[in-house]
Amino acid sequence: MRFIFKTDYDQDIKLFKHAGAKFWYAVLLAVAIAAPAVLGKYYISQLSFICIYSIAGVGLMLLSGYAGQISIGHAAFLAVGGYTEAIAVKMGLPFPLSLILSFIVAGLIGIIIGLPAIRIKGIYLAIATLAFNFILEEVLVRWSSVTGGNNGLMLDHAKLFGVAFKSTDSFYYLSLAILVIVIVGVLNLLRSFTGRSFVAIRDSQISAQSMGVDLAKYKTMAFGLSAGITGIAGSLYAYKIRFISPEQFGVMVSIELLMMIVIGGIGSLHGAVFGAIFFISLPELISLVKNYLPEAIANQAGLQPTIFGFILICVVIFQPEGIYGWWIKIRSYFEMFPFYRKATFKRTKTFMKSDRLS
Amino acid sequence: MLNQVLQLALSGVAIGSVYGLIALGFVLVYKATEIINFSQGELMMLGAFAGFTFVSLLGLPYWVSFILSIAFMFLIGVLLDLIVLRRILGHSAFSIIMVTIGFGYFMRGIVSMIPAWGTDTYNLPTPFSGSVLRFGGLALSGEYLSVIVMTIIICVILFCFFKWSRVGVAMQASSQNQLAAYYMGIPVRRVNTLTWGICAAAATFAGILLAPITFVHSNMGFVGLKAFPAAVLGGFGSLPGAIAGGIIIGLIESFSGFYLPEGIKDISAYVVLLIVLVIKPNGLFGERLTKKV
C-alpha cells in the first residue's frame, strides 16, 4: 500500500502524484507509440478514431464534467471545427495554422453560445445547446456556397511542412500527438486558478460566487475552451474521414458524445479517454459476438443502440463513476490487499433538491 | 388573403397542439419528479406501436385498443420506475437524464428488433381518418381536430389533478424537496412510480393520436425533440404553458414555412427558443423562484 507524505503544498497540484504514476504513463505512451509496429492497419485506424473522440471527450468533459454545464450540442462544435479546417485548407492556409484557426473559430462560437449560460441554468441550458445544434446543422445544409450543402466537402490529407500524413500510421501519430498536447494542456488548466474555479462553479454556484469567482467570466470561458478543443477534434475527424457533410454532426452525435463521457466516467480526464475507447471498440465487440448469436438477433440494425442504451443504464445504476471508477476500485483492491472492503466506495444516501430554487 | 392567413393559423394551431400534447408529457414528469425525460418520444413511439398491435394485428375496435394500450403503457412506465429509476432515486438530475437517454436508445433498438414491428412504417386506421371539417373557406382534417380536442381535455384533467388532488400536490412537493416530502409523510417512492405510470400513459395518448399524422415507425420518437422548444417556451413547470408553447411553435412554423425561404421552417422553433431563453431564462410562463442563502 502506498502512502504519499505531503511535505509541500505544491504536491497537491502536481501533474504526477508520485514516481509510480510517471512510470506507468511513460509505459502507456511507449505502448501507444509502438502500437503500429504490432497491430494491423485497420486497428491503427480505429486507434486514431479513439484519439479523435478522446479529444472531443476531453473538450466536453471540461465543460460538463468540470464546469458542470451540460451541453447536448457539442457535435455542433465538432462541425464548426471540421468545416473551418476544410474551408481554411481550401483557401490555402497551411495545416498547423488551420488547426489553430478551427480552435479559435469553434472557441468563439462556443463563447457566443456560452453567453446565455450566464443567465440560463441546468436543463434550460442543455436545451439551448440542443437548439443550437439543430440550427447549425440546418445552416450547414442551406449555406451551400460555403459548406457545399448536403453534398458536403472533400478534404485532402493533412500536410505539415510539405509532408502529407498519407499513411494510416502517420495520421495516427499526428492524432496521438495532438491528444497528448490537449490532455497536458487541460491538466495544466485544471490545476490553475481557472480550472479550480470551474470545479467550484460545478459544485456550488453560490459558494463559488462568494469566494470571488466571476461566474459569467468563467462560465463563458469554459464554453469557449471546451468548444475550441472539440473544434480541434472536428478538424482531425474531417482529415480522418476526408469528407464532411451536415448529417455527420446531428443531435444524435451530441447525445452519443455525452453518453461516451458518462460511460467513461464523468469528472475525470481518464473518463474521456476510457469513454472513447469503449465507444469505438463496442461495435467491434458486437460484430465479434454476432457470430455466436442466433441469426434473427445478430443481423438486426437495432442491436447496437439497444446494447448501448442498456450499458448506459447499467453504468448509471451500478457504477456512476463510469469505467474510470471501476478501474479505481480494481486498483485500490490490489493496492490495499487484503484490506479492501466493499464499503470503501459505498455511496452516501442523497436526496434530490429542486434545481428551480438555485 | 385573409382566408390564407386564417388557414395558416388554423394549421399552425393544429400542429401546435401536437407539440403541446407531447410537451405535456415532459412537463408532467418535470413537475412531479424534476427530471427531463428524454425518452418521452420513445415512450410515445412504444405506445403507438401498442395501439397498432391492438388495432391492426389483433383487430380490436379503436377505442378498446386505445384503453388497452394506455393500460399496457401505464404498466411499462410503472415497471421502468420499479426496475430502474427507483434505484437511482435522489441522484443528481444529470444521471437520471442519462438514464432516460439510455431508455430512449434501448426502446428504439428493441422495437426495431421485434419481428412484427421492425423498421417499417405503418398506418393506424382511426375513426377520424379521411373526414375533413369545413367552415367558410377553411379546412381541418379529422385527425388534427381529434388532437386539438384531446389535448385540451387532457390538459384540463392534468391541471385539475395537480391543483386540487392530494396525489398531485404530493407529486409537486416531492419534486421540490424529496427529503422534506419524506418528513411530511409523502411516500415519495410510490408517488414517483405513479408519476412514471401516468407519464407513459400520457405518452401513449399522444402516440396514438399522432399515429395517423406521423405514421407509426421506430423513429417517430424524434418528434419528441421538436416538442422540447414547446415545453421550454412555456416554462418547463407549467401545464397550460406547454400547450401555449406548443401552439406558438406551431404558428411560427406554419407561417415561416409559407412566407420565409425554405429551411427556415425547421429551425424557426429553435431560433425562437434561443431568443426567449436569453430574454426570459425561465420560459414565458415559468415560475420564478429564488433561493435565500
Side-chain angles (χ1 to χ4, degrees), chain B residues 64-86:
Chain B
V64 177
S65 329
F66 205 117
I67 292 164
L68 279 178
S69 341
I70 286 182
F72 169 72
M73 287 301 291
F74 183 86
L75 275 179
I76 294 269
V78 167
L79 281 178
L80 276 186
D81 184 74
L82 288 182
I83 297 172
V84 178
L85 289 154
R86 180 164 282 200

Side-chain angles (χ1 to χ4, degrees), chain A residues 156-349:
Chain A
D156 204 6
H157 291 288
K159 267 200 198 95
L160 189 61
F161 306 124
V163 185
F165 290 93
K166 255 192 191 139
S167 69
T168 321
D169 292 358
S170 62
F171 189 79
Y172 163 66
Y173 284 125
L174 177 72
S175 343
L176 184 67
I178 294 175
L179 172 65
V180 171
I181 295 170
V182 165
I183 288 183
V184 172
V186 171
L187 275 179
N188 272 315
L189 177 84
L190 286 174
R191 59 189 189 141
S192 70
F193 181 83
T194 315
R196 282 176 287 141
S197 309
F198 289 168
V199 176
I201 291 175
R202 175 191 69 189
D203 289 345
S204 164
Q205 293 204 11
I206 291 172
S207 44
Q209 212 169 8
S210 337
M211 298 297 281
V213 173
D214 185 345
L215 285 188
K217 184 178 150 194
Y218 285 102
K219 272 189 189 174
T220 39
M221 198 191 266
F223 257 97
L225 284 170
S226 163
I229 294 169
T230 313
I232 292 180
S235 302
L236 287 175
Y237 177 82
Y239 277 128
K240 180 71 198 160
I241 306 264
R242 295 186 47 223
F243 167 72
I244 45 174
S245 62
E247 73 264 22
Q248 288 168 341
F249 305 104
V251 173
M252 291 322 282
V253 179
S254 297
I255 292 178
E256 277 166 4
L257 280 178
L258 206 55
M259 284 166 100
M260 189 177 93
I261 63 165
V262 170
I263 292 177
I266 196 116
S268 79
L269 291 186
H270 294 90
V273 179
F274 278 128
I277 295 172
F278 169 82
F279 188 75
I280 300 293
S281 49
L282 183 70
E284 306 291 325
L285 286 178
I286 291 177
S287 59
L288 277 180
V289 175
K290 250 182 198 171
N291 301 328
Y292 305 102
L293 288 177
E295 191 85 358
I297 302 175
N299 294 329
Q300 294 282 359
L303 189 64
Q304 197 181 324
T306 313
I307 294 178
F308 218 75
F310 183 71
I311 292 179
L312 181 69
I313 296 170
C314 290
V315 163
V316 177
I317 295 177
F318 301 110
Q319 188 65 61
E321 299 85 14
I323 300 175
Y324 180 59
W326 205 18
W327 161 249
I328 291 278
K329 274 182 198 171
I330 294 171
R331 199 181 64 188
S332 45
Y333 176 83
F334 286 108
E335 271 182 2
M336 293 159 72
F337 188 79
F339 298 115
Y340 180 85
R341 291 291 175 269
K342 244 188 165 170
T344 315
F345 289 97
K346 199 169 162 59
R347 280 185 281 166
T348 47
K349 186 135 187 75

Side-chain angles (χ1 to χ4, degrees), chain B residues 172-271:
Chain B
Q172 292 192 59
S174 65
S175 96
Q176 286 187 0
N177 191 334
Q178 280 181 353
L179 194 57
Y182 268 121
Y183 289 158
M184 291 296 122
I186 294 170
V188 175
R189 284 158 190 268
R190 254 186 289 156
V191 164
N192 274 6
T193 310
L194 184 65
T195 306
W196 281 95
I198 296 176
C199 150
T204 313
F205 211 84
I208 293 179
L209 286 174
L210 279 189
I213 298 167
T214 61
F215 298 109
V216 183
H217 57 94
S218 58
N219 281 339
M220 81 184 277
F222 287 117
V223 193
L225 291 176
K226 271 255 153 139
F228 263 126
V232 175
L233 213 57
F236 239 106
S238 159
L239 286 168
I243 303 294
I247 288 172
I248 292 170
I249 298 276
L251 286 174
I252 291 167
E253 276 197 354
S254 156
F255 280 97
S256 63
F258 193 78
Y259 291 109
L260 295 175
E262 200 195 348
I264 296 194
K265 174 179 177 259
D266 294 325
I267 53 166
S268 54
Y270 298 107
V271 175

Side-chain angles (χ1 to χ4, degrees), chain A residues 70 72 119 123-124 134 138 255-256 266 300 302 306 312-313 316 347 350-352 354-357, chain B residues 33-34 36 38 90-91 94 97-98 105-106 109 112 175-176 178-179 236 267 270 278-279 287 291:
Chain A
I70 307 170
I72 318 181
R119 299 194 61 194
I123 215 61
Y124 287 96
F134 276 114
E138 195 64 29
I255 292 178
E256 277 166 4
I266 196 116
Q300 294 282 359
T306 313
L312 181 69
I313 296 170
V316 177
R347 280 185 281 166
T350 50
F351 294 91
M352 194 169 76
S354 176
D355 221 21
R356 283 176 259 175
L357 294 166
Chain B
T33 59
E34 191 136 313
I36 309 280
F38 271 83
H91 282 232
F94 181 66
I97 286 173
M98 290 318 293
Y105 262 75
F106 189 68
S112 73
S175 96
Q176 286 187 0
Q178 280 181 353
L179 194 57
F236 239 106
I267 53 166
Y270 298 107
V278 171
I279 300 167
E287 327 149 66
K291 187 178 191 172

Side-chain angles (χ1 to χ4, degrees), chain A residues 137-160:
Chain A
E137 204 187 334
E138 195 64 29
V139 167
L140 290 178
V141 172
R142 301 287 160 191
W143 196 14
S144 48
S145 59
V146 177
T147 63
N150 273 326
N151 295 326
L153 285 177
M154 303 288 276
L155 260 94
D156 204 6
H157 291 288
K159 267 200 198 95
L160 189 61

